[in-house]
Amino acid sequence: MRTEKVLGYDVHRKKVKNINLRINSQMEVYISVPMNLHVSYIENFIRSKESWIKKVLNKIETVKLKQTGYEYKTGEIHNFLGEGYVLKVKISNNNKVILKKEREELLLITKFDNFEEKKKIMEKWYFECAKKLFPVVMEKWLNILNERIEHLSIKPMKTRWGSCNYNKRYINLNTELIKRTLFEIEYVVLHELAHLKYPNHGKGFYNYVEKYMPDYRKAEKMLNAKHYY
Ligand SMILES: [Zn+2]
């Protein structure tokens, strides 16, 4: 298989008879074409499909936006440390959350099958997990970088994954990070600690980060550049 770029799309040349065009839920456009098909033919094909591609991508995006609002119903996928778990809601006489790793299940036990109640229990559980894990990751990186901080706070943050007040040596981490992979959490911790030495995102800052995490760009990409920290 050979891959080439045509009109900005990755086109895979394969032993196929026709041009195939697919879009997956990750919004990736996949185009495969016969081995020796002339490039102008492929361009024409893509042009004829472009408005359709845009329409499908818009639709997927809209669905994704709607999905961010959980209903806390059995069958929903909830994330924890970068893994998706199937939520199972059980009514009992106490409130708790149990992670069944081997079954890839998140058991939400609640007294009341009520949205607000379930949301509260789940958020509390995520917060407790973050409070256990983030200080450990912080301690690890403080040792590696030979730094010290005055205060670590873990709280929900609307637009950022973390923040650093380098004068006071205070660091904030977004509770939501507990849903991300450990790699992403480590990156945000390193990023905020790097601000103690480099307040701005200059060359020095990124050189420093890269020295300790050569593949940090991958983490940034995973975290989505729309979030500033
Ligand atoms: Zn920053």
Side-chain angles (χ1 to χ4, degrees):
M1 191 178 81
R2 281 183 291 135
T3 303
E4 62 198 77
K5 273 239 187 297
V6 181
L7 298 175
Y9 294 95
D10 282 332
V11 171
H12 308 279
R13 288 194 182 271
K14 285 169 93 176
K15 284 184 184 151
V16 289
K17 282 215 170 77
N18 305 303
I19 300 185
N20 299 300
L21 168 60
R22 283 199 306 265
I23 301 176
N24 67 16
S25 60
Q26 304 302 305
M27 299 174 69
E28 288 160 347
V29 181
Y30 182 90
I31 302 168
S32 61
V33 301
M35 278 300 196
N36 299 311
L37 191 66
H38 197 273
V39 73
S40 67
Y41 195 90
I42 303 169
E43 284 181 0
N44 282 338
F45 172 83
I46 291 174
R47 284 205 185 95
S48 75
K49 294 287 178 192
E50 221 151 22
S51 68
W52 177 82
I53 294 172
K54 284 203 179 106
K55 222 164 92 184
V56 172
L57 291 178
N58 275 335
K59 209 170 162 187
I60 297 172
E61 202 158 26
T62 313
V63 170
K64 277 194 178 217
L65 278 174
K66 276 191 190 153
Q67 273 175 351
T68 49
Y70 289 117
E71 290 184 76
Y72 302 97
K73 284 184 178 162
T74 294
E76 267 178 12
I77 306 292
H78 288 251
N79 294 325
F80 179 71
L81 288 179
E83 303 274 355
Y85 292 88
V86 180
L87 189 74
K88 271 211 166 163
V89 181
K90 216 174 128 185
I91 312 298
S92 187
N93 52 6
N94 57 353
N95 292 331
K96 65 177 167 186
V97 177
I98 302 166
L99 181 82
K100 300 198 161 180
K101 223 175 163 21
E102 69 292 345
R103 295 179 64 170
E104 294 174 358
E105 256 177 39
L106 206 50
L107 186 59
L108 166 59
I109 302 170
T110 174
K111 286 188 215 171
F112 310 103
D113 194 10
N114 150 298
F115 172 79
E116 288 300 331
E117 186 73 12
K118 289 187 283 186
K119 185 171 189 262
K120 213 170 77 190
I121 299 166
M122 284 291 283
E123 280 177 358
K124 186 173 167 248
W125 179 74
Y126 276 124
F127 182 58
E128 296 298 329
C129 293
K131 269 203 311 195
K132 268 184 220 150
L133 179 69
F134 296 177
V136 178
V137 177
M138 180 57 76
E139 204 52 46
K140 173 187 158 179
W141 282 97
L142 285 172
N143 282 324
I144 293 172
L145 305 175
N146 196 23
E147 281 287 358
R148 60 170 184 86
I149 56 168
E150 292 299 328
H151 185 68
L152 167 64
S153 121
I154 298 158
K155 58 184 183 185
M157 296 162 84
K158 278 226 155 58
T159 57
R160 308 161 123 194
W161 288 117
S163 64
C164 172
N165 180 326
Y166 55 90
N167 288 321
K168 287 185 174 168
R169 296 189 163 260
Y170 284 7
I171 286 184
N172 297 314
L173 295 174
N174 190 335
T175 320
E176 283 289 301
L177 272 172
I178 196 69
K179 298 176 184 174
R180 299 304 187 122
T181 60
L182 189 57
F183 173 54
E184 289 162 271
I185 299 169
E186 298 224 17
Y187 170 66
V188 176
V189 169
L190 169 61
H191 181 114
E192 299 313 334
L193 289 176
H195 279 313
L196 296 172
K197 281 198 173 67
Y198 302 91
N200 301 311
H201 298 121
K203 211 171 161 40
F205 173 86
Y206 282 110
N207 283 341
Y208 181 77
V209 169
E210 190 170 22
K211 187 175 142 193
Y212 292 97
M213 195 180 273
D215 55 350
Y216 79 92
R217 283 187 192 88
K218 200 177 140 202
E220 279 200 327
K221 233 179 165 173
M222 290 166 78
L223 285 160
N224 184 349
K226 274 181 203 155
H227 284 79
Y228 296 93
Y229 29 82

